[in-house]
Amino acid sequence: MANRIQQLYDTLLAHFGPQHWWPGDTPFEVMIGAVLTQNTNWLNVSRALDNLKAQGLLSFERLESLPVESLAENIRPSGYYNQKAKRLKGLLAAIRADSGDLETFFAQDPATLRDKLLQVKGIGPETADSILLYAAEKQAFVVDAYTHRILCRHNLIAEESDYHEIQEVFVEALPAEIATYNEYHALLVRLGKDYCKKTNPLCKTCPLADF
DNA sequence: ATCCGGTTCT
DNA sequence: AGAACTGGAT
């Protein structure tokens, strides 16, 4: 199993090259993007982030003081904008109450940080791990729908495997390196959206055709 | 029409 | 398990 997981990584990396994740200038931007990208394609998240940037609103203080209605309007392209605006507000409030600032919040040990993130309404395991890995640069393997689908289709996991089980597969197989976790998830997303699609997957030309 | 780098509520 | 949240691209 571990060998297959490593082989999968090597094959993807050889084919696609490094993905340079996460796109974003600051940990704060990455964290906001992690919430906005829930069930939404990245292009639309970029539009939402660009709206905020264009008005200089993409900072902890500015978003905190921005009325939730204005925030919703700015992030409209990312979908679920009312819900996400509330959740972002809740996340900022939780961080402010817990630590005062983002750097202090992120300085906590990963397990504590994950628990605290999961207590915020709107942050589930995938978003928590995304924030942990890509914003706080902690060692957290991110599992998403692509990960599940790709591993299922290659008979590496059962269809009904849950988030934690799938995560364990990677944790057990891979070296404990943030850089590897970062690259691997990014590569799985790349494969998932370009080849291993939900409908009409491109199996004929898939980089994993031999795998 | 269907799909996105989900999560919460019933 | 199913519904709700939701806009934009393909």
Side-chain angles (χ1 to χ4, degrees), chain A residues 25-96:
Chain A
D25 298 332
T26 64
F28 184 77
E29 178 180 341
V30 172
M31 178 177 75
I32 300 302
V35 174
L36 294 181
T37 199
Q38 293 173 356
N39 200 39
T40 304
N41 64 47
W42 183 255
L43 179 62
N44 290 338
V45 175
S46 301
R47 296 172 184 285
L49 291 172
D50 286 346
N51 287 343
L52 293 170
K53 283 186 202 173
Q55 299 174 260
L57 293 172
L58 198 51
S59 76
F60 204 124
E61 290 75 17
R62 299 299 298 275
L63 280 196
E64 211 172 20
S65 57
L66 190 68
V68 68
E69 296 83 9
S70 309
L71 177 56
E73 198 48 45
N74 276 280
I75 64 173
R76 176 184 275 268
S78 72
Y80 308 101
Y81 53 91
N82 288 319
Q83 188 177 175
K84 285 174 180 175
K86 266 189 238 168
R87 290 171 175 185
L88 284 175
K89 283 288 192 177
L91 175 59
L92 297 180
I95 294 170
R96 187 67 90 188

Side-chain angles (χ1 to χ4, degrees), chain A residues 1-209:
Chain A
M1 182 56 149
N3 283 342
R4 296 243 81 200
I5 293 296
Q6 286 165 17
Q7 195 185 340
L8 175 56
Y9 177 75
D10 293 340
T11 307
L12 290 175
L13 187 58
H15 184 84
F16 290 120
Q19 299 299 296
H20 307 293
W21 270 36
W22 181 296
D25 298 332
T26 64
F28 184 77
E29 178 180 341
V30 172
M31 178 177 75
I32 300 302
V35 174
L36 294 181
T37 199
Q38 293 173 356
N39 200 39
T40 304
N41 64 47
W42 183 255
L43 179 62
N44 290 338
V45 175
S46 301
R47 296 172 184 285
L49 291 172
D50 286 346
N51 287 343
L52 293 170
K53 283 186 202 173
Q55 299 174 260
L57 293 172
L58 198 51
S59 76
F60 204 124
E61 290 75 17
R62 299 299 298 275
L63 280 196
E64 211 172 20
S65 57
L66 190 68
V68 68
E69 296 83 9
S70 309
L71 177 56
E73 198 48 45
N74 276 280
I75 64 173
R76 176 184 275 268
S78 72
Y80 308 101
Y81 53 91
N82 288 319
Q83 188 177 175
K84 285 174 180 175
K86 266 189 238 168
R87 290 171 175 185
L88 284 175
K89 283 288 192 177
L91 175 59
L92 297 180
I95 294 170
R96 187 67 90 188
D98 184 81
S99 303
D101 64 83
L102 190 61
E103 200 175 331
T104 307
F105 184 67
F106 281 168
Q108 304 176 87
D109 74 271
T112 304
L113 202 45
R114 191 175 197 270
D115 286 342
K116 289 179 177 175
L117 285 169
L118 288 174
Q119 282 165 28
V120 176
K121 192 146 297 183
I123 311 270
E126 179 179 341
T127 306
D129 286 333
S130 292
I131 293 172
L132 243 33
L133 179 61
Y134 294 107
E137 300 184 73
K138 309 283 189 186
Q139 192 186 305
F141 196 92
V142 179
V143 174
D144 67 349
Y146 291 139
T147 313
H148 177 92
R149 191 157 72 221
I150 292 163
L151 263 54
C152 269
R153 286 178 174 170
H154 289 275
N155 293 314
L156 293 169
I157 57 166
E159 170 77 35
E160 48 301 340
S161 300
D162 65 16
Y163 188 97
H164 186 68
E165 291 177 62
I166 299 172
Q167 190 176 47
E168 279 304 303
V169 167
F170 290 94
V171 170
E172 285 169 19
L174 298 174
E177 296 166 356
I178 294 170
T180 304
Y181 284 21
N182 177 322
E183 196 61 51
Y184 207 150
H185 174 65
L187 286 165
L188 288 171
V189 170
R190 177 72 184 276
L191 183 79
K193 67 177 194 213
D194 291 350
Y195 293 91
C196 203
K197 303 190 287 182
K198 189 169 187 178
T199 55
N200 307 121
L202 307 179
C203 302
K204 301 293 178 200
T205 55
C206 181
L208 299 182

